[in-house]
């Protein structure tokens, strides 16, 4: 069967699965607390894909060439028994081309200490933990809940102990908020055998009041770190890797920068996203997605689901980040980040 490619010849390789739209943090760049307060209506339970439905769809995606599954959210660890889903995905084995499935999860780390062992036992291979600052006041500001970093750091230690390694740490760098933390975070990751990754602050969703001057360009991040810990460029691990890799010259470890705003990588974007309520979304900046849950609950066969995914991917033209400068961000309603999982 010919490989599934979109209009820009991009194959479908990665699937990010959002297992919940809920979160125990209120990061201002993602779910600002003033909007997602006590009264905000998250999805009712019956609208969430069940684990069986999610695993079934994942199997169809794998058949179409997906080799990497990432669980995300919202905060994936607030979904009860999420390790059961990990086990179901791990049981999918290899894709038709014989590639082993890469199964990972991105978390804010708050519940990680208690969940790490169960996740590992279920077959999770690696984990990415978001960590925006080590300074308690800045960390508190960036999680919107006044939490200090201790619990997240304990979660990182536990994940290391159980072997969810190498651990990647994600920091969204926001100018004037945590840009002074960049070198300290890089040092922390070096000292603790983790891979630090800095993400340029993106204009995802409609509610974070993003402004271009809040973006700390990846170039500047690398310059700031290299002034203290000299870096040299490293080859990408594979085509389509989101992070640009850098290696410490002293051989300590590596670092990644995700320059989604200043150096867009849409040409190599092989990612699809499955929302908590079962929509297939083909770009982080999309306004909507194709419903898979409806057909599934009305009796669609795996072949029917495959046909829908094929149809969506074949006509895909997305390249928002390349076009960003030519678009006025506020004129187009986008899906929120916590609904599609970053
Ligand atoms: N709750 C989990 C977490 O925070 O790791 C998983 C979901 S979160 C939406 C996935 C990733 O998206 C996180 O690393 C987060 O920092 C990143 N993110 C959220 N909003 C962002 C924004 N506006 N720009 C860049 N990255 C963002
Ligand atoms: Fe929650 Fe992650 Fe969004 Fe922060 S970035 S509000 S932790 S979903
Ligand atoms: Fe992929 Fe859309 Fe991001 Fe471009 S803007 S890299 S197409 S998700």
């Amino acid at each position: 069967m010919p490989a599934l490619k979109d209009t820009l010849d991009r194959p479908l390789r990665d699937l990010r699965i959002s297992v919940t739209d809920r979160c125990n943090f209120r990061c201002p760049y993602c779910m600002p607390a003033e909007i997602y307060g006590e009264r905000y209506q998250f999805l009712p339970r019956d609208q969430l894909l069940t684990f069986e439905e999610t695993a079934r769809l994942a199997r169809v995606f794998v058949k179409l060439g997906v080799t990497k599954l990432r669980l995300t959210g919202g905060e994936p660890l607030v979904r009860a028994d999420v390790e059961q889903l990990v086990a179901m995905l791990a049981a999918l084995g290899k894709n038709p081309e014989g590639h082993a499935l890469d199964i990972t999860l991105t978390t804010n780390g708050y519940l990680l200490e208690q969940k790490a062992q169960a996740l590992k036992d279920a077959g999770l291979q690696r984990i990415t933990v978001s960590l925006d600052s080590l300074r308690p006041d800045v960390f508190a500001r960036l999680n919107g809940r006044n939490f200090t970093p201790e619990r997240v750091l304990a979660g990182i230690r536990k994940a290391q102990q159980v072997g969810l390694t190498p651990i990647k740490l994600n920091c969204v760098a926001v100018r004037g908020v945590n840009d002074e933390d960049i070198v300290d975070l890089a040092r922390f990751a070096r000292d603790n055998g983790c891979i630090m990754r800095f993400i340029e602050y993106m204009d995802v969703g409609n509610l974070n009041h993003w402004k271009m001057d809040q973006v700390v360009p990846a170039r500047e991040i690398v310059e700031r770190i290299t002034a203290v810990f000299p870096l040299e460029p490293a080859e990408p691990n594979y085509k389509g890797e989101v992070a640009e890799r850098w290696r410490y010259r002293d051989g300590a470890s590596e670092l990644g920068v995700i320059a989604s705003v200043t150096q867009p990588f849409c040409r190599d974007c092989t990612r699809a996203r499955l929302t908590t309520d079962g929509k297939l979304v083909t770009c982080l900046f999309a306004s909507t997605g194709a419903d898979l849950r409806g057909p599934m609950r009305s009796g669609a066969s795996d072949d029917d689901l495959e046909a829908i995914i094929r149809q969506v991917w074949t006509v895909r033209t997305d390249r928002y980040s390349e076009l960003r400068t030519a678009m006025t961000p506020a004129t187009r309603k986008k899906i929120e980040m916590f609904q599609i999982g970053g």
Side-chain angles (χ1 to χ4, degrees):
M1 196 183 298
L4 180 57
K5 300 265 184 80
D6 70 6
T7 59
L8 299 174
D9 210 31
R10 299 170 294 190
L12 171 55
R13 289 278 177 237
D14 315 60
L15 182 65
R16 299 193 174 181
I17 303 173
S18 178
V19 294
T20 176
D21 58 343
R22 290 165 198 260
C23 186
N24 42 5
F25 281 15
R26 287 293 179 274
C27 309
Y29 51 70
C30 177
M31 288 176 93
E34 65 277 13
I35 293 154
Y36 299 99
E38 297 302 322
R39 292 176 179 206
Y40 185 79
Q41 293 285 313
F42 290 97
L43 287 169
R45 205 177 163 74
D46 64 339
Q47 294 198 24
L48 270 53
L49 290 184
T50 64
F51 290 163
E52 287 72 19
E53 288 171 333
T54 307
R56 179 179 170 201
L57 286 176
R59 195 176 64 233
V60 177
F61 277 98
V62 167
K63 192 173 165 211
L64 288 168
V66 163
T67 57
K68 187 168 172 186
L69 300 171
R70 174 181 295 277
L71 297 183
T72 172
E75 170 48 41
L77 300 189
V78 304
R79 176 90 188 245
D81 305 318
V82 69
E83 61 277 12
Q84 290 177 9
L85 176 60
V86 171
M88 291 161 87
L89 298 178
L92 296 177
K94 297 188 174 184
N95 77 352
E97 291 160 14
H99 295 128
L101 285 180
D102 185 13
I103 305 175
T104 66
L105 179 146
T106 302
T107 172
N108 62 31
Y110 198 68
L111 299 173
L112 185 54
E113 190 178 17
Q114 66 209 66
K115 281 282 190 183
Q117 186 69 60
L119 290 167
K120 177 71 183 175
D121 293 346
L124 192 71
Q125 292 150 0
R126 291 179 293 107
I127 201 153
T128 300
V129 184
S130 296
L131 183 65
D132 290 332
S133 176
L134 294 162
R135 286 187 289 167
D137 54 333
V138 180
F139 186 80
R141 187 170 161 197
L142 281 169
N143 61 54
R145 282 275 159 94
N146 266 333
F147 294 142
T148 55
E150 280 82 23
R151 265 181 80 145
V152 176
L153 299 179
I156 293 169
R157 278 194 296 276
K158 183 73 181 177
Q160 274 180 322
Q161 277 165 21
V162 305
L164 288 169
T165 49
I167 295 179
K168 290 182 182 161
L169 301 177
N170 274 1
C171 165
V172 179
V174 186
R175 186 164 323 271
V177 180
N178 65 341
D179 53 326
E180 294 303 325
D181 297 74
I182 288 169
V183 172
D184 285 343
L185 285 166
R187 180 183 292 109
F188 173 84
R190 271 172 59 94
D191 291 349
N192 290 281
C194 301
I195 300 172
M196 193 70 223
R197 305 196 316 166
F198 293 96
I199 310 173
E200 288 180 348
Y201 177 31
M202 289 184 279
D203 51 332
V204 283
N206 314 279
L207 305 166
N208 60 11
H209 308 299
W210 179 91
K211 292 193 191 63
M212 187 67 198
D213 60 12
Q214 295 173 303
V215 177
V216 187
R219 241 349 97 226
E220 178 183 330
I221 293 171
V222 171
E223 278 167 20
R224 283 200 199 192
I225 297 169
T226 213
V228 183
F229 304 114
L231 288 162
E232 60 190 15
E235 287 299 305
N237 284 316
Y238 54 90
K239 188 170 155 58
E241 188 171 31
V242 178
E244 179 184 296
R245 292 175 68 219
W246 292 80
R247 179 183 316 117
Y248 289 107
R249 285 183 190 262
D250 65 6
S253 58
E254 64 176 75
L255 176 110
V257 284
I258 303 176
S260 16
V261 178
T262 62
Q263 300 162 61
F265 35 79
C266 299
R267 291 288 151 165
D268 289 330
C269 180
T270 56
R271 288 177 295 286
R273 294 173 164 85
L274 183 61
T275 63
T276 315
D277 58 351
K279 292 197 177 68
L280 166 59
V281 175
T282 58
C283 178
L284 200 47
F285 299 91
S287 312
T288 184
D291 183 29
L292 295 172
R293 188 194 65 195
M296 198 164 37
R297 291 189 181 171
S298 320
S301 66
D302 284 3
D303 287 347
D304 298 334
L305 296 169
E306 184 182 322
I308 299 173
I309 300 167
R310 276 187 178 280
Q311 160 65 20
V312 169
W313 195 263
T314 312
V315 299
R316 176 184 188 240
T317 55
D318 304 297
R319 52 191 193 97
Y320 177 90
S321 285
E322 286 183 357
L323 304 173
R324 174 183 283 113
T325 45
M327 293 170 113
T328 318
T331 55
R332 204 165 133 267
K333 181 133 177 80
K334 296 170 276 180
I335 304 178
E336 295 300 327
M337 185 73 145
F338 68 90
Q339 294 166 324
I340 43 175

